[in-house]
Amino acid sequence: MSKKPEEITGSVSRIIPFSCVDGPGNRFVIFLQGCNFSCKNCHNPHTMGICDHCGDCVPGCPSGALFIDSGKVTWNQSICENCDQCIDICPRSSSPMTQLLTVAEVITQLETAVPFLTGITVSGGESTMQLKFIRALFKTIKQRSHLQHLTCLVDSNGYLPVSGWEKLLSVMDGAMIDLKACNNDLHLWLTGRANHRVLDSIDFLYKRQKLTEVRWLAIPEITDTSEELTAISAFLKTTAPEAPLRINAFSNSAVKGQARQWQNMSSERIPLLEAELFTTS
Amino acid sequence: MERQEEELFHKAFRGIANDPNLNFTQKSRYLALQADDMLPYPELDVQAKGAMESGLICDMFEGHAPFKPRYVMPDYQKAIIQGSEWLELAPPEDLDEAINFLLILFHHVPSVTNIPVFIGRLDQLLSPFIDDSITDKLLHKKIRLMWQMIDRTLPDAFLHVNIGPEDSRIARTILAVDRELKQVVPNLTLRFDPSVTPDSLLQMAVENISLCNKPHIVNEVMNAAEFVTPEDPRGFGIASCYNSLPLGGGAHTLVRINLKKAAESSDGSVENFIERVLPEVSGLTYQIIRARIDYLVNQSNFYQSSFLVKEGLIEQNRFTAMFGIFGLADAVNLLLKRKPDEGYGYCEQAQDLALEIVKTLSDIVKSTELEHCWNNRALFHAQSGISLDNDVSPACRIPYGYEPGTLQHLQTVLPLHKYFTAGISDIFPIDETIEKNPLALMAICKGAFQKGLRMFTANVANNELVRVTGYMVRCSDIKKLKEEGSRLNTTAFGSEAMDNCGINSRNAQIITDDIPWSKRQ
Ligand code: SF4
Ligand code: SF4
């Protein structure tokens, strides 16, 4: 027997009840655990990996919120101090604070925030890796009269194949896609994966009027070269001419590994990049 | 007078007269205040006197001889229709005349600071004088000049303009000018009614907030329900620091209870505080309120002589008294023996106690008769603090620097708002990223109103204009004041408040609540 939508579970890294930086308006954001890219510049590196219960993080917790229960690392939310030390320790880019939540449980958390919200956003990690969960969550929201008004958005790296997006279309209001690079080699180097599927996703979503925005991360001397700028603006001009483009400035403060050594994007340069992208496109 | 006492007075007067940083009007005012304070206080018993001396009850330094009401809310609409005999002005016939008429009238409206705290619902007052012959550009210029005139001649940030809930060219022009000039004066309120105010007007207001922390937004529906009846359609105005008061009247006085001190005077138990301390302190508060009203109404001759009364712009029986409280958070945390980061704003038990305290006092205010007042009652008010409040939280606010995430903040204060008919405000500290997403602030504001928030005020981090307790100061003025004085009367208060009350430590929220709300359960 198949599960009811409310019973379907998702691996949730964190829930933020109010956010003004994850899509239009005030949004409830569900960060899902696990990613199929391994971006050098990831600013949520602890959402990439899946926990294998190695237990390395347990002794590092200063408040005793972590313990091992029959071979599984367990998190006691009520005494956790949100210090994030466990995240820094984890060798697998995961987090012991990840929870397996049912759609019904997420909706219970959503209820208190509903009057103040524009919508919800699933982010990550790569949210679309848990397609079933997202679909069930959005479907349940669209079915309940007091939640229906909430717009349901997906924040994605665009790696989901078109067949996957097709399954979401009827319940999803839109997707925000990260375009990491147009040059395939650069994309591979940055993320570990090729970019064809990302470009296809942008094309498909745009045609179905489900492309909420394209996001591009400006990293000095890596993604902001004139070849890249020309390629991006040419691609968008032909594929998604009316789609809003959001330029984010790279900051090395929340990243790990070699990206820590990369330069920060200066806020003065952003308008110049904007001008270049929008005039050529 | 004893010689020693005389010397003391001389020293105080000289200090003011020779102060290098006060201008001549400021000196005149402080000298007058000093003289007022030399008169004996209206008759009080020993306990009430003691309560004032210890700071348990505070009369907001209104002076010993109340010869004018604290807050005056003239019916400017009436004035504009009938003109003023006293001021020898005919009813205005065009926009220039209307603005000129009002600017003159403002200078004759008293208040505790001598500068009016309410200068009307300007959009409603001026809209009848607008037609197509006045281009947008011209209108902008006229409002801009008016704004400069007000700021330079009535330099007090408590002075308040109301706009809305209806949309109008004037309302939009006022918002446009206000964001352009970023002046401290006037303070500004948008009255919001979801069935009347278009989203585009609210959005403009919210964009202004992210640029200059003004206007603040008031729940029109909730206030109108309490101030407007078929027999009494004149309604209310918003003045000074978030005070809702009857239009065509105002408040004789505002006396406030320091709940922190009140809690300290209990035996430490919740029961003793609720059952003994609160009724006792309320009794003393009423004694002080009555003494002040008696002086103002029966001795000072204000209501007998003011042209505002004679011309029907205010009526004595539309004045109320404000029964104020502050330091609720401290009282709750003290009684529950909790630290600020685990008490009020952070746990259910604190929330319940806060509600119980507020309900108890609200019942007292609702059931206590008060002569010479609108509906024979005082109105309950959450007082948002003054510059001398050291270590006491304003009104029912969560202490500065301990504000939890915005959702949790809202959940904490929302249930309290309905009790404070004469106004309450919570300042939501918000990170500057909101500038790129005004829809987020709109969603929060609308949701909060729907849930019963009375007034919404946001303070966006890194703005030059900062909300102090309810009024605005410019950060640059504070820096300057210390060196060379300020032309704005309120800057001195603002500077004290920044020094004393920890305003700089407000916790800006990126509106990404990092503490999951579910932790409360
Ligand atoms: S964030 Fe991690 S390390 Fe820190 S208290 Fe919580 S569980 Fe422990
Ligand atoms: S979160 Fe990381 S460190 Fe902790 S048990 Fe899981 S894999 Fe190991």
Side-chain angles (χ1 to χ4, degrees):
Chain A
M1 207 179 74
S2 70
K3 278 186 183 170
K4 287 197 212 134
E6 291 99 284
E7 291 167 359
I8 292 177
T9 53
S11 176
V12 177
S13 158
R14 180 172 245 172
I15 287 181
I16 291 183
F18 276 18
S19 167
C20 69
V21 293
D22 291 280
N26 190 31
R27 314 192 71 83
F28 184 90
V29 188
I30 303 141
F31 294 90
L32 297 178
Q33 186 71 29
C35 188
N36 41 18
F37 280 12
S38 43
C39 298
K40 293 185 163 55
N41 56 279
C42 180
H43 60 277
N44 277 330
H46 60 278
T47 60
M48 277 188 199
I50 301 295
C51 169
D52 66 0
H53 298 278
C54 69
D56 286 2
C57 56
V58 174
C61 172
S63 45
L66 299 176
F67 55 96
I68 298 180
D69 183 18
S70 40
K72 299 226 158 192
V73 168
T74 310
W75 173 51
N76 184 344
Q77 188 177 6
S78 62
I79 54 172
C80 168
E81 303 268 350
N82 298 295
C83 72
D84 287 354
Q85 291 210 24
C86 49
I87 288 173
D88 292 339
I89 295 166
C90 176
R92 262 153 290 274
S93 295
S94 186
S95 154
M97 300 182 282
T98 303
Q99 289 174 294
L100 213 56
L101 295 177
T102 63
V103 166
E105 283 166 333
V106 171
I107 290 198
T108 308
Q109 291 201 35
L110 171 68
E111 295 284 355
T112 40
V114 170
F116 315 102
L117 293 176
T118 316
I120 75 161
T121 298
V122 288
S123 183
E126 173 48 33
S127 56
T128 62
M129 285 175 72
Q130 302 187 41
L131 199 61
K132 255 196 191 158
F133 174 76
I134 303 183
R135 199 165 169 262
L137 176 67
F138 287 2
K139 196 172 166 191
T140 312
I141 287 174
K142 298 289 175 198
Q143 278 169 351
R144 303 215 174 149
S145 57
H146 72 294
L147 303 176
Q148 256 166 15
H149 66 282
L150 299 174
T151 51
C152 297
L153 300 183
V154 172
D155 186 350
S156 166
N157 62 19
Y159 201 68
L160 184 71
V162 165
S163 58
W165 289 116
E166 270 167 347
K167 294 198 182 101
L168 269 183
L169 278 187
S170 66
V171 287
M172 173 187 85
D173 292 285
M176 298 172 283
I177 304 292
D178 279 330
L179 176 56
K180 314 272 183 188
C182 257
N183 178 308
N184 196 34
D185 291 335
L186 178 60
H187 197 276
L188 249 168
W189 178 78
L190 258 180
T191 70
R193 302 269 183 174
N195 67 4
H196 311 121
R197 282 203 197 169
V198 181
L199 306 181
D200 287 351
S201 290
I202 291 176
D203 180 42
F204 174 80
L205 290 165
Y206 186 74
K207 288 199 176 106
R208 301 302 171 97
Q209 274 129 33
K210 297 281 187 186
L211 187 61
T212 304
E213 71 183 19
V214 175
R215 290 154 166 199
W216 174 68
L217 182 69
I219 312 173
E221 285 160 37
I222 294 175
T223 63
D224 72 343
T225 59
S226 60
E227 302 85 73
E228 261 303 291
L229 292 176
T230 316
I232 288 172
S233 91
F235 168 72
L236 290 178
K237 196 175 165 187
T238 46
T239 315
E242 307 278 323
L245 173 65
R246 176 188 289 263
I247 301 176
N248 290 322
F250 173 76
S251 148
N252 61 22
S253 61
V255 296
K256 279 188 168 176
Q258 67 178 94
R260 274 197 181 276
Q261 312 306 322
W262 297 354
Q263 273 176 57
N264 284 327
M265 177 54 69
S266 77
S267 52
E268 290 95 69
R269 187 156 157 71
I270 294 289
L272 300 175
L273 292 173
E274 249 165 33
E276 230 173 298
L277 278 171
F278 293 120
T279 46
T280 33
S281 71
Chain B
M1 211 181 292
E2 298 282 323
R3 192 167 163 74
Q4 217 178 350
E5 203 180 337
E6 202 180 307
E7 267 171 22
L8 220 64
F9 281 128
H10 283 182
K11 200 171 163 230
F13 281 119
R14 282 261 184 257
I16 298 167
N18 298 344
D19 191 308
N21 292 337
L22 294 174
N23 66 32
F24 68 93
T25 22
Q26 288 164 337
K27 286 181 182 182
S28 309
R29 181 165 133 67
Y30 291 142
L31 286 170
L33 285 175
Q34 199 72 42
D36 189 0
D37 279 351
M38 284 169 69
L39 289 169
Y41 204 86
E43 191 66 29
L44 295 177
D45 71 16
V46 188
Q47 273 177 302
K49 269 190 203 146
M52 281 184 62
E53 273 155 24
S54 71
L56 171 61
I57 301 175
C58 160
D59 73 349
M60 310 282 295
F61 309 103
E62 285 177 7
H64 292 189
F67 58 89
K68 60 194 169 175
R70 178 177 185 87
Y71 296 133
V72 178
M73 319 281 291
D75 187 343
Y76 293 107
Q77 195 70 53
K78 190 166 183 180
I80 242 175
I81 291 167
Q82 70 191 18
S84 171
E85 226 173 277
W86 171 268
L87 295 172
E88 300 180 32
L89 289 171
E93 283 174 7
D94 63 25
L95 184 60
D96 286 338
E97 286 184 15
I99 292 175
N100 194 51
F101 180 92
L102 288 171
L103 286 173
I104 294 170
L105 181 51
F106 297 156
H107 282 266
H108 296 267
V109 175
S111 82
V112 62
T113 62
N114 280 353
I115 291 179
V117 291
F118 175 71
I119 60 166
R121 307 179 66 172
L122 281 186
D123 51 349
Q124 293 192 350
L125 291 168
L126 297 178
S127 283
F129 299 97
I130 307 267
D131 57 35
D132 291 345
S133 72
I134 298 167
T135 61
D136 287 347
K137 203 173 151 203
L138 190 62
L139 184 58
H140 190 97
K141 183 173 177 190
K142 287 181 193 295
I143 298 290
R144 194 183 148 95
L145 290 176
M146 186 184 188
W147 244 231
Q148 287 177 331
M149 182 69 156
I150 292 168
D151 181 62
R152 306 305 191 274
T153 62
L154 297 167
D156 189 303
F158 296 111
L159 177 143
H160 227 107
V161 169
N162 292 192
I163 55 173
E166 293 84 9
D167 197 0
S168 64
R169 279 179 68 197
I170 294 271
R172 285 177 191 252
T173 309
I174 285 176
L175 287 171
V177 168
D178 207 55
R179 74 163 73 163
E180 184 179 297
L181 294 178
K182 298 188 176 67
Q183 293 172 171
V184 169
V185 189
N187 211 330
L188 188 61
T189 290
L190 171 69
R191 300 162 63 142
F192 176 78
D193 176 345
S195 65
V196 178
T197 316
D199 273 0
S200 58
L201 187 63
L202 179 64
Q203 179 164 349
M204 210 178 157
V206 163
E207 285 164 3
N208 273 32
I209 291 175
S210 66
L211 295 170
C212 58
N213 284 329
K214 288 195 281 175
H216 85 123
I217 302 172
V218 156
N219 188 335
E220 177 76 13
V221 182
M222 190 171 175
N223 280 287
E226 282 155 331
F227 284 96
V228 187
T229 58
E231 306 80 57
D232 184 2
R234 270 195 278 183
F236 67 98
I238 303 291
S240 193
C241 286
Y242 322 108
N243 309 311
S244 320
L245 293 167
L247 199 78
H252 299 296
T253 183
L254 162 55
V255 180
R256 60 176 195 157
I257 300 173
N258 181 336
L259 290 176
K260 182 186 186 186
K261 283 238 155 77
E264 282 164 359
S265 78
S266 73
D267 71 5
S269 75
V270 169
E271 199 177 64
N272 180 269
F273 181 71
I274 301 270
E275 285 168 17
R276 182 186 67 84
V277 176
L278 289 184
E280 268 177 33
V281 182
S282 301
L284 297 176
T285 306
Y286 271 104
Q287 192 191 132
I288 298 165
I289 289 177
R290 288 197 175 97
R292 300 191 61 83
I293 294 181
D294 176 67
Y295 192 95
L296 176 65
V297 172
N298 298 323
Q299 298 181 59
S300 79
N301 280 311
F302 174 80
Y303 294 108
Q304 291 76 7
S305 61
S306 166
F307 82 97
L308 297 170
V309 179
K310 290 201 179 106
E311 298 190 0
L313 309 187
I314 54 175
E315 287 167 36
Q316 193 254 282
N317 62 11
R318 290 185 64 78
F319 278 78
T320 185
M322 296 167 77
F323 183 104
I325 58 161
F326 68 118
L328 177 70
D330 310 291
V332 167
N333 292 343
L334 204 91
L335 291 167
L336 295 180
K337 299 174 186 64
R338 281 178 194 253
K339 288 192 271 187
D341 60 351
E342 51 187 34
Y344 183 63
Y346 292 89
C347 79
E348 211 84 45
Q349 206 192 350
Q351 171 107 37
D352 293 345
L353 178 57
L355 195 61
E356 193 185 349
I357 294 172
V358 165
K359 268 189 185 158
T360 306
L361 289 166
S362 162
D363 287 346
I364 292 175
V365 175
K366 283 206 171 102
S367 62
T368 307
E369 285 220 18
L370 194 60
E371 219 189 339
H372 307 301
C373 284
W374 187 61
N375 294 336
N376 282 317
R377 292 289 184 280
L379 292 180
F380 198 22
H381 177 64
Q383 207 281 324
S384 51
I386 56 175
S387 54
L388 297 173
D389 297 341
N390 229 322
D391 278 335
V392 196
S393 57
C396 303
R397 292 190 196 154
I398 295 169
Y400 295 136
Y402 291 103
E403 294 97 338
T406 309
L407 176 59
Q408 198 170 334
H409 194 164
L410 279 165
Q411 305 274 13
T412 305
V413 299
L414 259 172
L416 304 178
H417 273 229
K418 69 165 182 261
Y419 296 98
F420 294 96
T421 317
I424 172 171
S425 81
D426 290 283
I427 298 183
F428 298 100
I430 299 209
D431 182 272
E432 61 197 313
T433 46
I434 196 72
E435 197 187 320
K436 299 197 187 79
N437 190 353
L439 289 179
L441 209 54
M442 282 170 72
I444 294 172
C445 180
K446 280 182 165 184
F449 281 176
Q450 195 198 322
K451 288 272 153 195
L453 195 84
R454 192 180 286 273
M455 305 186 179
F456 183 85
T457 305
N459 196 70
V460 177
N462 293 336
N463 262 332
E464 155 83 342
L465 278 187
V466 176
R467 266 188 198 277
V468 176
T469 59
Y471 58 95
M472 319 285 308
V473 291
R474 277 198 309 219
C475 293
S476 54
D477 281 339
I478 291 202
K479 284 188 207 115
K480 251 194 346 211
L481 170 76
K482 303 223 157 113
E483 291 141 30
E484 55 197 72
S486 170
R487 66 176 178 80
L488 291 160
N489 292 345
T490 28
T491 305
F493 295 139
S495 147
E496 271 172 18
M498 293 265 214
D499 293 344
N500 288 342
C501 323
I503 285 166
N504 279 325
S505 51
R506 273 188 197 135
N507 242 348
Q509 297 291 326
I510 315 188
I511 312 209
T512 40
D513 286 18
D514 268 335
I515 300 165
W517 179 243
S518 56
K519 262 183 84 176
R520 282 192 79 229
Q521 273 101 51

